[in-house]
Amino acid sequence: MTKKPDILRIAIAQLNPTVGDVAGNLAKAREARADAARQGADLVLYTELFLAGYPPEDLVLKPAFLKTCERAAQEFAADTADGGPGVIIGTPLKRKSGTHNSIIVADGGKIIAERYKLDLPNYGEFDEKRVFQAGPELQGPVNFRGVRLGIPICEDIWGDVAVCETLAESGAEMLLVPNGSPYYRAKIDVRHQVVIKQVIECGLPMIYANQLGGQDELIFDGASFAIGADRTLAFQMSQFEDAVDVTIWKRQGDHWVCSEGPMSKIPEREEADYRACMLGLRDYVNKNGFKNVVLGLSGGIDSAICAALAVDALGEERLRAVMMPYRYTSKDSLKDAEDCARALGCRYDIVPIFEPVEGFLHTLTQLFEGTKEGITEENLQSRARGTILMAISNKFGSMVVTTGNKSEMSVGYATLYGDMNGGFNPIKDLYKMQVYALSRWRNSHVPPGALGPSGEVIPKNIIDKAPSAELRENQTDQDSLPPYPVLDDILECLVENEMGVDDIVARGHDRATVTRIEHLLYIAEYKRRQAAPGVKITRKNFGRDRRYPITNRFRDRG
């Protein structure tokens, strides 16, 4: 009888794949395996659907894509004939039972097992039931070099299906879980609690390997970890950073115990949100092949923090900031925009919009005769700026970064084909007060991996002054909106928590204000459907998480 091993060196490959780049993802996997081999690993655990990139969405419906992924899995399995570490890697697989979100286990040059995800998530940002079929039945542990490994896949440990308990009852000695778990604020605590609950129920240690990187609106923050059978944190990998870390597990009696692994510090709230926005912008720009970006720098807080994020994510040489003044642009705004650009070191251009706006107004004089000047004329300013930014984008191949925050997008204080123009919005899911908090944080800190300078990069005057679109004389946002602390609380109640008007009023808010904000939220849905994608930060962002009808007459009247 072969003696069971008493030590197992497991590498966790916390990497940044690109959806659809199967060859590139395979190359990353191979590089990580070579790194793990140098560190003495026996096994490398990759993340969910790594070869395809996650989430692949409707790419899974293309037979050619599935064949490409399976061919890559077979090639990678063949690599293990070199005597190095075995691998557990995610890939879609089409079988007689359907198309499955799967993993393969490979060792000794061949695939020794396949396992299929049983519990397909169908909520929030997930809709896997559209493209995958659940595994036909729970398959038992995989015997890897004498150790029986249970391998549930992501949602298999989150839902009500008793996958982990069944694997324990079938003889699993430890659980290795490949995940594609997107970021939202404080998500790490949620993951830890989910895993601790499963460890309590099944009595086995669990390794949780999580994907890294930005994929459209979703941010995968890594932060892979393990919880031991004693319910304590066995190791914790870094957040927002790729890594291949080898953990050493030793058999102690009936249990496996982690004797060596990283213990990285997890960032606090503002740092985590800022780094998520930075990572999302960087990956969106780079993975989609843009060489540089352009944005309108108005002298306001939103465009200033977006400029800081762009420089931090991409470098000063890849951002062009454009100030587009009109007759209502204040001297303070001109100075603040210039000071911000100078602090960041990026290119700064001034393109006045007086002539194009006056040209539009002149052209429309006859049509508008007898009408009162108002929002239409104000929006012409925004649309002139949007046209100029798109012209720069077309001429130089720069992606336009759009800069509207969640408070404004919630109530429709944004102009279609104007300031909403753009390819990506790094602060789309940040309320206005969160924008201020992150701006203050950035002035005191330089996040790891940032390419921007230290010190005050967002001038203090931008943070301190009253926010204004400057589309008319002496305009401020609070002319027509409640103070942002009040507005943001009402919106968080309505959007994130789906609270009724009565419950929001019970928090101390004025009923007329709450009903007005609810109305504005509903009627702005058509604008949000046409908005650029942006980084998901909260539990419920506009887009993947919140899908309200555009045509909607419901109003909560108690």
Side-chain angles (χ1 to χ4, degrees):
M1 178 183 256
T2 305
K3 184 179 182 296
K4 289 186 175 182
D6 292 323
I7 187 167
L8 191 64
R9 295 174 178 84
I10 303 174
I12 292 82
Q14 180 176 288
L15 305 174
N16 189 342
T18 298
V19 167
D21 185 10
V22 181
N25 297 338
L26 176 58
K28 281 181 183 283
R30 283 172 161 157
E31 184 179 348
R33 181 173 179 267
D35 186 358
R38 288 190 291 270
Q39 297 183 60
D42 302 306
L43 175 66
V44 187
L45 174 63
Y46 297 84
T47 53
E48 183 175 13
L49 292 178
F50 184 84
L51 290 173
Y54 185 79
E57 302 186 274
D58 285 12
L59 277 175
V60 173
L61 303 177
K62 295 188 73 67
F65 180 70
L66 294 175
K67 289 177 183 177
T68 301
C69 290
E70 180 150 12
R71 186 161 53 245
Q74 291 168 346
E75 290 177 14
F76 196 35
D79 291 351
T80 63
D82 62 6
V87 299
I88 298 172
I89 195 164
T91 185
L93 292 175
K94 186 172 181 62
R95 297 294 181 258
K96 289 182 180 179
S97 51
T99 300
H100 301 300
N101 180 334
S102 314
I103 58 95
I104 64 155
V105 184
D107 196 28
K110 61 183 180 180
I111 296 173
I112 62 173
E114 297 176 0
R115 292 294 182 266
Y116 315 127
K117 191 173 185 177
L118 292 173
D119 195 357
L120 300 178
N122 207 55
Y123 57 86
E125 64 266 44
F126 302 111
D127 52 5
E128 287 192 25
K129 288 183 179 179
R130 289 186 66 252
V131 295
F132 287 116
Q133 287 74 52
E137 60 184 12
L138 176 61
Q139 298 167 290
V142 176
N143 189 327
F144 177 80
R145 301 185 185 180
V147 183
R148 292 175 63 79
L149 305 176
I151 314 174
I153 301 173
C154 200
E155 192 70 15
D156 289 343
I157 71 167
W158 286 74
D160 296 327
V161 182
V163 174
C164 297
E165 283 185 271
T166 305
L167 285 168
E169 291 166 359
S170 303
E173 299 173 57
M174 65 171 67
L175 301 173
L176 279 62
V177 190
N179 293 271
S181 177
Y183 174 83
Y184 60 71
R185 193 174 296 123
K187 183 72 171 288
I188 289 179
D189 294 336
V190 177
R191 295 181 194 133
H192 283 188
Q193 291 306 310
V194 167
V195 173
I196 288 170
K197 180 177 181 290
Q198 293 290 359
V199 169
I200 289 171
E201 292 180 356
C202 71
L204 300 177
M206 181 181 291
I207 298 175
Y208 186 105
N210 193 36
Q211 180 173 305
L212 179 77
Q215 172 57 30
D216 296 344
E217 295 157 296
L218 300 180
I219 304 301
F220 298 92
D221 55 311
S224 305
F225 66 98
I227 300 293
D230 63 355
R231 308 170 194 176
T232 63
L233 186 65
F235 70 80
Q236 175 66 66
M237 291 175 65
S238 59
Q239 192 177 24
F240 305 113
E241 297 173 0
D242 60 1
V244 179
D245 287 338
V246 173
T247 63
I248 299 177
W249 294 78
K250 294 181 179 178
R251 189 190 298 274
Q252 292 184 2
D254 294 332
H255 295 293
W256 286 88
V257 175
C258 183
S259 65
E260 188 176 321
M263 272 297 177
S264 298
K265 187 180 182 218
I266 296 302
E268 298 293 334
R269 173 172 169 157
E270 279 78 21
E271 179 182 346
D273 285 354
Y274 192 93
R275 292 176 69 181
C277 293
M278 190 173 80
L279 176 61
L281 179 60
R282 175 184 291 154
D283 274 0
Y284 191 87
V285 170
N286 290 340
K287 289 181 178 182
N288 286 290
F290 293 103
K291 293 181 180 178
N292 44 53
V293 297
V294 59
L295 60 75
L297 194 62
S298 68
I301 188 74
D302 297 324
S303 63
I305 195 173
C306 286
L309 283 163
V311 170
D312 284 341
L314 305 168
E316 62 186 43
E317 72 283 356
R318 296 178 69 185
L319 169 65
R320 180 199 294 253
V322 184
M323 160 54 90
M324 293 167 282
Y326 188 55
R327 64 176 65 181
Y328 304 120
T329 303
S330 67
K331 291 180 180 178
D332 277 352
S333 292
L334 283 164
K335 182 178 185 304
D336 291 341
E338 184 177 358
D339 288 348
C340 183
R342 184 182 296 113
L344 290 167
C346 63
R347 175 168 177 169
Y348 178 67
D349 296 306
I350 299 177
V351 181
I353 63 167
F354 182 84
E355 289 187 5
V357 172
E358 294 301 311
F360 279 125
L361 292 172
H362 178 73
T363 299
L364 294 165
T365 297
Q366 188 173 351
L367 280 175
F368 288 1
E369 187 176 0
T371 65
K372 186 177 179 181
E373 189 171 307
I375 291 175
T376 300
E377 287 74 17
E378 292 178 16
N379 285 345
L380 280 174
Q381 299 166 49
S382 180
R383 292 190 171 114
R385 291 180 174 117
T387 298
I388 288 168
L389 290 174
M390 290 308 301
I392 294 170
S393 173
N394 291 161
K395 179 63 71 173
F396 300 108
S398 308
M399 187 198 79
V400 177
V401 174
T402 186
T403 61
N405 62 68
K406 191 172 187 177
S407 303
E408 294 170 352
M409 293 304 300
S410 294
V411 294
Y413 278 49
T415 305
L416 275 174
Y417 326 119
D419 58 326
M420 288 179 64
N421 279 3
F424 194 76
N425 183 351
I427 64 167
K428 182 180 181 179
D429 202 30
L430 290 174
Y431 289 114
K432 189 77 168 188
M433 297 310 296
Q434 293 165 351
V435 170
Y436 280 111
L438 264 61
S439 298
R440 293 187 186 97
W441 179 88
R442 177 59 182 89
N443 276 348
S444 302
H445 304 82
V446 180
L451 302 176
S454 60
E456 186 181 274
V457 295
I458 300 174
K460 187 174 183 296
N461 192 54
I462 290 180
I463 297 174
D464 291 343
K465 68 184 179 182
S468 171
E470 294 191 326
L471 299 176
R472 63 175 181 268
E473 202 72 52
N474 299 318
Q475 181 185 30
T476 68
D477 292 1
Q478 254 65 84
D479 293 344
S480 53
L481 291 173
Y484 276 115
V486 174
L487 176 64
D488 288 357
D489 188 66
I490 293 172
L491 289 171
E492 189 168 353
C493 290
L494 289 169
V495 177
E496 270 81 67
N497 300 321
E498 299 287 1
M499 289 171 62
V501 168
D502 287 345
D503 293 330
I504 301 172
V505 172
R507 289 169 63 88
H509 293 294
D510 173 68
R511 180 175 294 275
T513 301
V514 175
T515 55
R516 176 171 172 261
I517 297 306
E518 182 207 36
H519 177 70
L520 292 174
L521 176 67
Y522 284 148
I523 65 172
E525 187 63 36
Y526 80 101
K527 288 187 178 182
R528 292 190 291 270
R529 291 285 184 95
Q530 300 177 68
V535 177
K536 172 182 163 68
I537 294 293
T538 66
R539 287 181 294 108
K540 188 171 288 188
N541 74 332
F542 293 125
R544 300 185 73 98
D545 293 333
R546 187 181 186 278
R547 307 180 194 184
Y548 269 64
I550 295 174
T551 305
N552 169 25
R553 289 193 176 182
F554 175 76
R555 299 295 182 269
D556 181 4
R557 296 298 177 258

